[in-house]
Amino acid sequence: MASSLPAPPASPSSSWRGLTPRCPPPRCGPLLARAVARSYRYRFRTDDDGVVDVAVAGKDGDAGYVVAIEAPTHGQRGGLVLRPAGSGEGVPLAPAAPGGALVAELSYDVARAPFHVSFTLADAMGAEIRTHRGTSFRVPVGVGRGCPSPLGLSQSKDGAANFAVYSKIAKGMVLCLFGGGGGDGPALEIELDPYVHRTGDVWHVSMESVEGYARYGFRSGLFAMFGIDRPLLDPYAKVIGDFVAGDSVDEDGLAVPSIRCLASLKNAPNYDWGRDKHPCLPLEKLVVYRANVALFTKDRSSRLADNAAGTFSGMSAKVEHFRHLGVNAVLLEPVFPFHQVKGPYFPYHFFSPMSLYSSECSSVSAIKSMKDMVKTMHRNGIEVLLEVVFTHTAEGGAECQMISLRGIDGSSYYIADGIAGCKASVLNCNHPVTQKLILDSLRHWVLDFHVDGFCFINAPFLVRGPRGEGLSRPPLLEAIAFDPVLSKTKIIADPWSPLDISNVQFPFPHWKRWAEMNTRFSMDVRKFLKGEALISDLATRLCGSGDLFSSRAPAFSFNYVSRNSGLTLVDLVSFSSDELASEFSWNCGEEGPSENNAVLQTRLRQIRNFLFILFISLGIPVLNMGDECGNSAAGSTSYKDRGPLNWKALKTAFVKEVTGFISFLSALRSRRADIFQRCEFLKLENIHWYGSDLSEPCWEDPTSNFLCLHINAELDEKLPDSTGGDLYICFNANEESASATLPAIAEGSMWLRLVDTSLAFPGFFSRGSSHETHQVLGFSSYQVKAHSCVLFESKRVLS
């Protein structure tokens, strides 16, 4: 048996003697029957087709170890002699009973482990007996066979540390243990024997104690011929140790940080969740805010301490901001450990939060800080959703990019030849071992971190097979949809790809469980407000995108107008150069920053229009971080050009207006849940479309940019009359005003104007209870100004 265990730290006293049989079980030698707790058994096949059994057992009270050897009699060869490595003396094996097996026992009176015992056997003629591989018998002490499950580092029933890692193609595996005092080299290396420490394609080993060691990694030797054979991160590690960073060059010749990251031997500290529970909000009631943990509070304007700014603690400190906006779900950009040059959408690990998102910049601190944040959000009725990337990693073929999976078993975890046109390491998501890794990761975040749901970035790649082909029924997506843990969470597919910066809606297999980020909503709303869309496209988006979600429900559509890639909301109305044609933006008459009051007023209306359409459309509104504060990237669509949130802007008149409007719209959705938070689509008989002055809309006219929507409220005996009546909504993307005639309503009722985005602040929206609310009778004409939207609600007038 091969091992790289060091010899004992001191020369232990040893004695060799035969053993008296003690009622051995059937087909078991008398020596092995004596093995007790803290015992490990090994069987060697010899080069003469014999068998040698070895048992290693700990003495009572941790006083040392006993190594017992048993070999069958060799007939004509006579007795056997055991020859310890490094010693010229031979010790004869004695029969345990007349005609029985030959046995010997070696006692070590030291408690420190691990170490190894190495020996050969010789017959009476002096001929050596070795293993069938021609090696000496090499037995580890203090190291056990281990268990193949669970993967990663765990504690076995007897208190030993168990290590398990999957690798189908590795011919060997070495567990590397590092001390706590730094240094590049491992303090201990344990070479795993494929005949002892491998079950199927899982390598495993246990250690009675890892005291004195701080971190660990695995060397598979797969790339040793290329000079790449450094310790790799355990894919299932729950706590990350310190990583070693340096400068290197990737396969494209670019200078990039070189990372060697190891797992920590520390357990995550116990966490007191108290009475925390998932809010379990119905899907249709969500109002989502997408945020980057670092950028949310990194700016000094957040007025947080340096060790809290840009961390999970910073998110917790600003929970009142979410409450003011009416947000009840926070969607965090990826929080897994990621490549700091490529960004958060290029992870290298899936079971721990990013260390930099904690006050101490350590894995243990990040774990506690994130759990504190989740607990705070839940206490305020806010769910926590995570963007996750399981389609690719930050790893590459170069040594500086080999961190974990690629060096352990790249052929199983990755699509071998990648995907045409894609230079990234593309994960083979629907391979059984990769699928298990992903499912185990997701369950870990739900069960251990109390996360409420996930948004899967680059979702089109999740339907890929092992050769990059599309699958009609991807096993991973189906497994997530019906998993007993994950099926109770929010699961959302996002088609945006950080690999090629594409964002194309596609038919997604859903099993009526998967929701989707609605890219079509963003594009069609932008086109309409720019004056380039058919009004029929806007109508489809307003009513829940039935063309995409007819087999599910409108709540499965997560709507947005801007996201963390592409133009910010302010830039959508400020930049529209030829290079931005795919963004469908409009600069409102002047490119970039402007001091022209007419241009600024049009931009302000357009911002209001975007927010208004987002919130009054059926589906889930998703706000992007910074849009409420007027964040701008100066017209850049690059994700890397996004800046931190400017908290000083919250005190400006513009931001007070925008945040107040968002708060009003959130409250409106809640108050009119019968329309905006429906579990099903609106009934056709309750929807009426009009053009100017109650005329038929010009559905097929590409120059028609005016549309009115009349929604009849459904009577519900369980709801009070104060809930609200019909809604009449007007959308005008023309350069001039248009006349809207309001339809007749029930006798004793009148129309109340709640929103007119063309009016000055603060009068452009009203909560309906104000005496200044504009009242209009049925069949009255109302001038809808250029580039504006108007909302009316019918109310019964008290006599």
Side-chain angles (χ1 to χ4, degrees):
M1 160 169 193
S3 173
S4 298
L5 292 170
S11 299
S13 60
S14 62
S15 62
W16 296 83
R17 59 184 184 275
L19 296 178
T20 304
R22 296 190 179 185
C23 303
R27 302 188 65 181
C28 178
L31 186 67
L32 299 185
R34 187 177 170 180
V36 292
R38 293 173 59 209
S39 66
Y40 305 99
R41 304 179 185 183
Y42 303 93
R43 170 162 288 186
F44 297 88
R45 185 156 54 90
T46 64
D47 55 5
D48 63 352
D49 293 329
V51 172
V52 172
D53 290 311
V54 181
V56 179
K59 294 181 179 180
D60 294 338
D62 293 329
Y65 297 89
V66 174
V67 179
I69 300 94
E70 177 180 309
T73 58
H74 278 60
Q76 71 275 15
R77 288 189 175 184
L80 294 177
V81 176
L82 184 148
R83 292 178 178 172
S87 173
E89 297 183 7
V91 179
L93 276 71
L102 303 176
V103 297
E105 182 179 293
L106 175 63
S107 177
Y108 289 91
D109 295 331
V110 293
R112 181 176 176 181
F115 56 91
H116 68 254
V117 174
S118 183
F119 63 90
T120 58
L121 297 174
D123 62 17
M125 304 299 293
E128 281 195 337
I129 301 173
R130 295 177 175 268
T131 70
H132 72 287
R133 288 176 287 168
T135 64
S136 61
F137 301 93
R138 195 176 180 92
V139 181
V141 178
V143 175
R145 182 174 183 273
C147 299
S149 179
L151 292 173
L153 172 62
S154 61
Q155 189 174 38
S156 59
K157 293 181 180 179
D158 60 1
N162 190 79
F163 301 84
V165 62
Y166 175 93
S167 182
K168 181 178 181 179
I169 63 174
K171 301 302 181 183
M173 188 68 67
V174 178
L175 172 65
C176 303
L177 299 177
F178 293 76
D184 292 337
L188 174 65
E189 291 188 345
I190 302 174
E191 183 180 348
L192 307 190
D193 190 322
Y195 292 87
V196 177
H197 298 286
R198 183 172 184 173
T199 302
D201 296 323
V202 177
W203 300 79
H204 46 82
V205 64
S206 66
M207 293 182 62
E208 293 183 14
S209 173
V210 291
E211 185 177 354
Y213 304 106
R215 298 162 295 154
Y216 74 96
F218 293 102
R219 284 195 297 107
S220 66
L222 292 175
F223 299 92
M225 66 183 69
F226 302 108
I228 305 174
D229 194 24
R230 59 181 182 177
L232 300 165
L233 175 64
D234 178 3
Y236 274 79
K238 304 301 188 296
V239 182
I240 302 297
D242 297 333
F243 66 85
V244 180
D247 293 328
S248 189
V249 178
D250 67 7
E251 50 263 49
D252 295 324
L254 301 176
V256 294
S258 174
I259 297 177
R260 189 189 72 184
C261 188
L262 299 172
S264 173
L265 287 166
K266 295 181 180 178
N267 290 322
N270 292 330
Y271 187 80
D272 182 10
W273 282 102
R275 296 185 177 182
D276 179 76
K277 60 180 181 180
H278 296 277
C280 294
L281 300 173
L283 195 63
E284 62 272 9
K285 293 187 179 298
L286 295 184
V287 175
V288 180
Y289 184 98
R290 188 202 308 261
N292 176 285
V293 173
L295 297 180
F296 188 62
T297 58
K298 186 177 182 179
D299 194 84
R300 289 187 176 275
S301 61
S302 67
R303 303 187 68 179
L304 296 178
D306 290 342
N307 64 350
T311 68
F312 294 119
S313 299
M315 296 288 299
S316 301
K318 298 297 184 180
V319 69
E320 284 303 317
H321 181 64
F322 302 129
R323 290 172 60 90
H324 172 64
L325 294 175
V327 166
N328 57 18
V330 176
L331 175 60
L332 300 181
E333 291 182 20
V335 299
F336 298 172
F338 57 83
H339 195 285
Q340 293 185 52
V341 173
K342 295 180 179 179
Y345 292 98
F346 291 85
Y348 59 81
H349 189 61
F350 303 121
F351 285 87
S352 62
M354 184 68 175
S355 299
L356 295 179
Y357 289 166
S358 71
S359 58
E360 299 176 9
C361 294
S362 70
S363 185
V364 171
S365 174
I367 291 170
K368 181 183 183 302
S369 182
M370 182 174 176
K371 290 179 179 180
D372 286 342
M373 179 204 68
V374 173
K375 190 174 180 180
T376 299
M377 295 295 177
H378 285 180
R379 190 166 56 245
N380 286 274
I382 300 174
E383 294 193 337
V384 178
L385 313 177
L386 299 183
E387 285 189 342
V388 290
V389 181
F390 289 117
T391 58
H392 60 275
T393 70
E395 291 190 295
E399 179 181 6
C400 63
Q401 298 296 308
M402 194 172 294
I403 303 168
S404 180
L405 298 175
R406 179 168 288 282
I408 290 174
D409 191 348
S411 64
S412 293
Y413 286 109
Y414 290 102
I415 293 178
D417 298 323
I419 291 179
C422 176
K423 294 183 179 180
S425 295
V426 179
L427 284 170
N428 191 356
C429 302
N430 289 292
H431 185 285
V433 66
T434 314
Q435 177 180 322
K436 174 177 169 52
L437 176 78
I438 294 172
L439 291 173
D440 288 344
S441 170
L442 294 172
R443 294 189 196 108
H444 172 67
W445 291 102
V446 175
L447 298 176
D448 201 46
F449 285 83
H450 291 201
V451 166
D452 301 286
F454 306 93
C455 179
F456 294 77
I457 299 298
N458 199 19
F461 274 39
L462 294 174
V463 303
R464 301 276 190 171
R467 292 173 295 279
E469 74 279 12
L471 302 176
S472 59
R473 193 166 184 169
L476 172 64
L477 302 185
E478 185 171 11
I480 293 173
F482 294 101
D483 184 87
V485 172
L486 304 178
S487 61
K488 297 177 182 178
T489 67
K490 277 77 175 178
I491 48 177
I492 311 152
D494 189 338
W496 180 69
S497 171
L499 299 176
D500 53 10
I501 317 299
S502 64
N503 197 13
V504 180
Q505 204 79 33
F506 75 107
F508 194 80
H510 54 78
W511 295 276
K512 295 188 176 180
R513 305 287 182 92
W514 283 84
E516 298 178 43
M517 284 289 175
N518 193 343
T519 299
R520 290 281 298 277
F521 179 93
S522 175
M523 294 298 102
D524 286 344
V525 172
R526 292 183 187 188
K527 290 178 182 179
F528 171 77
L529 291 179
K530 188 180 181 182
E532 294 182 353
L534 290 174
I535 55 176
S536 57
D537 293 335
L538 175 66
T540 301
R541 304 303 150 223
L542 292 171
C543 291
S545 297
D547 57 336
L548 301 174
F549 301 97
S550 60
S551 61
R552 285 170 278 180
F556 285 85
S557 172
F558 278 62
N559 303 328
Y560 66 93
V561 292
S562 68
R563 59 172 303 141
N564 47 10
S565 65
L567 294 176
T568 68
L569 181 57
V570 165
D571 289 352
L572 272 176
V573 301
S574 305
F575 297 89
S576 54
S577 62
D578 293 339
E579 292 78 10
L580 298 174
S582 62
E583 291 290 315
F584 302 104
S585 57
W586 178 46
N587 62 20
C588 300
E590 187 174 330
E591 187 72 4
S594 174
E595 296 182 0
N596 185 311
N597 187 61
V599 170
L600 294 177
Q601 288 303 314
T602 302
R603 290 179 179 177
L604 180 58
R605 289 188 190 184
Q606 290 290 76
I607 290 174
R608 294 172 178 175
N609 293 337
F610 273 119
L611 293 172
F612 177 75
I613 295 175
L614 176 65
F615 275 83
I616 59 92
S617 297
L618 270 66
I620 310 304
V622 180
L623 286 166
N624 201 52
M625 184 192 79
D627 283 349
E628 79 276 24
C629 293
N631 271 22
S632 171
S636 171
T637 59
S638 172
Y639 173 82
K640 294 182 179 180
D641 289 335
R642 291 299 175 97
L645 198 68
N646 181 7
W647 290 90
K648 288 183 179 179
L650 288 172
K651 298 180 180 179
T652 64
F654 166 73
V655 175
K656 287 181 179 179
E657 172 183 331
V658 172
T659 56
F661 191 36
I662 293 172
S663 177
F664 161 77
L665 292 171
S666 298
L668 175 66
R669 285 182 62 88
S670 179
R671 181 173 66 82
R672 295 309 308 270
D674 59 315
I675 292 177
F676 300 122
Q677 296 180 348
R678 297 175 60 86
C679 297
E680 64 284 323
F681 288 95
L682 291 166
K683 296 179 180 178
L684 291 178
E685 59 266 28
N686 293 331
I687 306 174
H688 308 280
W689 301 100
Y690 300 105
S692 179
D693 295 326
L694 298 181
S695 61
E696 181 72 16
C698 301
W699 295 115
E700 303 303 325
D701 184 357
T703 64
S704 176
N705 298 310
F706 183 79
L707 183 66
C708 295
L709 168 61
H710 181 197
I711 303 176
N712 295 127
E714 295 185 33
L715 296 178
D716 190 336
E717 297 178 355
K718 298 180 181 179
L719 297 176
D721 291 341
S722 60
T723 298
D726 293 359
L727 296 180
Y728 196 67
I729 315 172
C730 308
F731 309 89
N732 186 13
N734 289 302
E735 293 287 344
E736 54 279 327
S737 300
S739 176
T741 301
L742 280 67
I745 48 179
E747 186 177 352
S749 298
M750 66 170 40
W751 292 106
L752 303 181
R753 187 193 67 216
L754 301 185
V755 175
D756 185 340
T757 60
S758 69
L759 299 179
F761 180 76
F764 78 91
F765 67 91
S766 169
R767 299 187 182 275
S769 58
S770 171
H771 294 295
E772 298 179 0
T773 300
H774 188 73
Q775 300 181 0
V776 183
L777 295 173
F779 293 120
S780 295
S781 181
Y782 188 90
Q783 287 298 306
V784 182
K785 299 296 179 61
H787 304 296
S788 67
C789 300
V790 184
L791 168 65
F792 295 93
E793 182 180 26
S794 67
K795 286 286 187 179
R796 188 173 298 277
V797 180
L798 297 178
S799 56

